[in-house]
Amino acid sequence: MGETAFQSLIPARSTTTTLPEEAGRVVRVVDADTYDVLAGGTTYRVRLPGVDAPERDQPFGHQAADSVARLLGSDRTVLLTRRGVDLYGRTLASVRLPVAGGPALALDSLLVVRGWAWAFDPKRRVAGRATQQAAAVAARRGLWKCGAVGVLTPRQWRQFNYKNKRRYGVGCTW
């Protein structure tokens, strides 16, 4: 792999300036943490860093994706800050939702607070992310509806074969 190809996998970081933020519109919700966003005439496949939402075929995957689709709507403007590209060619970007008369809300934090994603912040760069997830678990919101026992992370789910997915894919009743 060439030097420039390798550099594109590393999220852009800046210590003195902030990354540019551009307005866009979500044209498709792939799953709760991956979207197709139209911004500046280009459609990006965007993956939210810092969270991991259930896969579509995983218990609560459809509910999580539907919750995001309702939240974003078809004409809602989002603010996109691109940070790099992952191993699958998806643009790693933060997505914020403008709110009239207030600061824009970070979509990744909103997913964790509503219980539709796991907080993935191993270096604890986002203050309060673990607390947000603990509050969602305690309140039994979203995928934590039946408690934290027996809930499989998307990483565990992806490692299952078809037979195990059928066995463990029931989850608790909605």
Side-chain angles (χ1 to χ4, degrees):
M1 179 181 282
E3 181 67 24
T4 56
F6 178 73
Q7 288 297 333
S8 70
L9 298 175
I10 301 171
R13 295 196 191 281
S14 175
T15 56
T16 58
T17 61
T18 59
L19 295 171
E21 189 170 62
E22 54 191 318
R25 184 174 51 87
V26 175
V27 293
R28 179 174 176 240
V29 175
V30 177
D31 61 25
D33 57 15
T34 306
Y35 323 102
D36 289 339
V37 178
L38 178 63
T42 304
T43 301
Y44 299 97
R45 173 69 48 102
V46 172
R47 170 70 166 85
L48 292 177
V51 297
D52 201 4
E55 300 295 330
R56 278 258 187 196
D57 64 339
Q58 187 176 351
F60 299 108
H62 283 289
Q63 291 93 335
D66 290 346
S67 175
V68 171
R70 283 192 310 272
L71 180 67
L72 297 175
S74 60
D75 294 330
R76 179 141 189 196
T77 299
V78 297
L79 302 173
L80 183 72
T81 305
R82 293 183 281 139
R83 302 180 184 282
V85 179
D86 71 3
L87 294 172
Y88 304 103
R90 300 174 297 190
T91 300
L92 296 171
S94 61
V95 176
R96 296 183 331 124
L97 306 174
V99 177
L105 300 174
L107 185 56
D108 53 356
S109 289
L110 203 55
L111 286 173
V112 174
V113 166
R114 290 183 170 195
W116 292 124
W118 284 262
F120 181 74
D121 191 18
K123 295 184 181 178
R124 292 179 172 66
R125 292 185 179 143
V126 179
R129 183 60 57 81
T131 305
Q132 291 171 342
Q133 181 172 321
V137 172
R140 294 184 175 240
R141 290 190 290 259
L143 59 96
W144 309 110
K145 177 184 177 256
C146 298
V149 177
V151 176
L152 298 171
T153 65
R155 182 179 180 170
Q156 293 168 318
W157 183 258
R158 287 186 293 267
Q159 293 174 348
F160 277 178
N161 61 25
Y162 175 75
K163 188 175 181 179
N164 284 334
K165 284 183 179 182
R166 286 193 50 144
R167 180 182 300 154
Y168 296 105
V170 178
C172 67
T173 59
W174 189 254

